Amino acid sequence: MKFVIKSESPKEYTIPEKLTTIEKINPDSAVKTRQFVFQGMGPNVNINGKQMDMDRIDEEVNLNDTEIWDISNDSGMGMMGGMAHPFHAHGVQFQILDRDGNPPPENETGWKDTLLVYPGEKVRAIATFNHSGIFMYHCHILEHEDAGMMGQFRVE
């Protein structure tokens, strides 16, 4: 890419002290907690012991409900040391509450539609489901989602 500057601008720009304010979702407002467990290796990868089935809805969510999703990574725990899985959900954005009970680092305090879950780790995330429809959640590693490490949830 090549940038060609034709003239100087007299206007100066400054970066504001604070870019935005993100209101935290109160965990007490959650009406339900769901578990999502990444498991398996190779062609046996799954979430909650199930591989993707287009004819199955795995989770039913009420429109406008706030829920906590506990996402844990039990896959590959053993001699191989395991693998991190990026959990991605369509149609919703989360706020990370904690990683193994510890507050998230600063770079994870904003809105997320994908969050990385390390081997043996549990990440708690909270969301309010404001869009109706059928959506997917899955590992965002292409080979894993192709092997069936995904599911569907309906919001209505």
Side-chain angles (χ1 to χ4, degrees), residues 4 35 50 70 74 92 113 127:
V4 178
Q35 308 292 320
K50 299 182 276 188
D70 285 346
D74 290 347
V92 69
D113 67 0

Side-chain angles (χ1 to χ4, degrees), residues 12-102:
E12 290 187 24
Y13 297 91
T14 58
I15 298 173
E17 289 288 320
K18 187 173 189 177
L19 296 176
T20 189
T21 300
I22 297 173
E23 291 190 33
K24 298 295 181 191
I25 302 173
N26 183 346
D28 292 337
S29 67
V31 298
K32 186 169 189 147
T33 298
R34 296 178 193 266
Q35 308 292 320
F36 297 87
V37 182
F38 286 103
Q39 300 169 313
M41 293 182 70
N44 299 316
V45 293
N46 66 77
I47 301 175
N48 294 339
K50 299 182 276 188
Q51 290 190 320
M52 178 65 177
D53 180 346
M54 288 295 293
D55 296 323
R56 181 185 69 226
I57 300 296
D58 299 287
E59 306 291 335
E60 297 278 354
V61 179
N62 292 323
L63 184 63
N64 298 317
D65 273 3
T66 298
E67 295 190 357
I68 294 173
W69 285 16
D70 285 346
I71 305 135
S72 59
N73 182 350
D74 290 347
S75 65
M77 296 306 295
M79 291 183 2
M80 300 297 288
M83 166 176 233
H85 292 286
F87 178 87
H88 175 67
H90 295 215
V92 69
Q93 290 187 325
F94 293 94
Q95 292 178 357
I96 296 176
L97 294 172
D98 58 66
R99 289 182 169 277
D100 288 333
N102 299 308

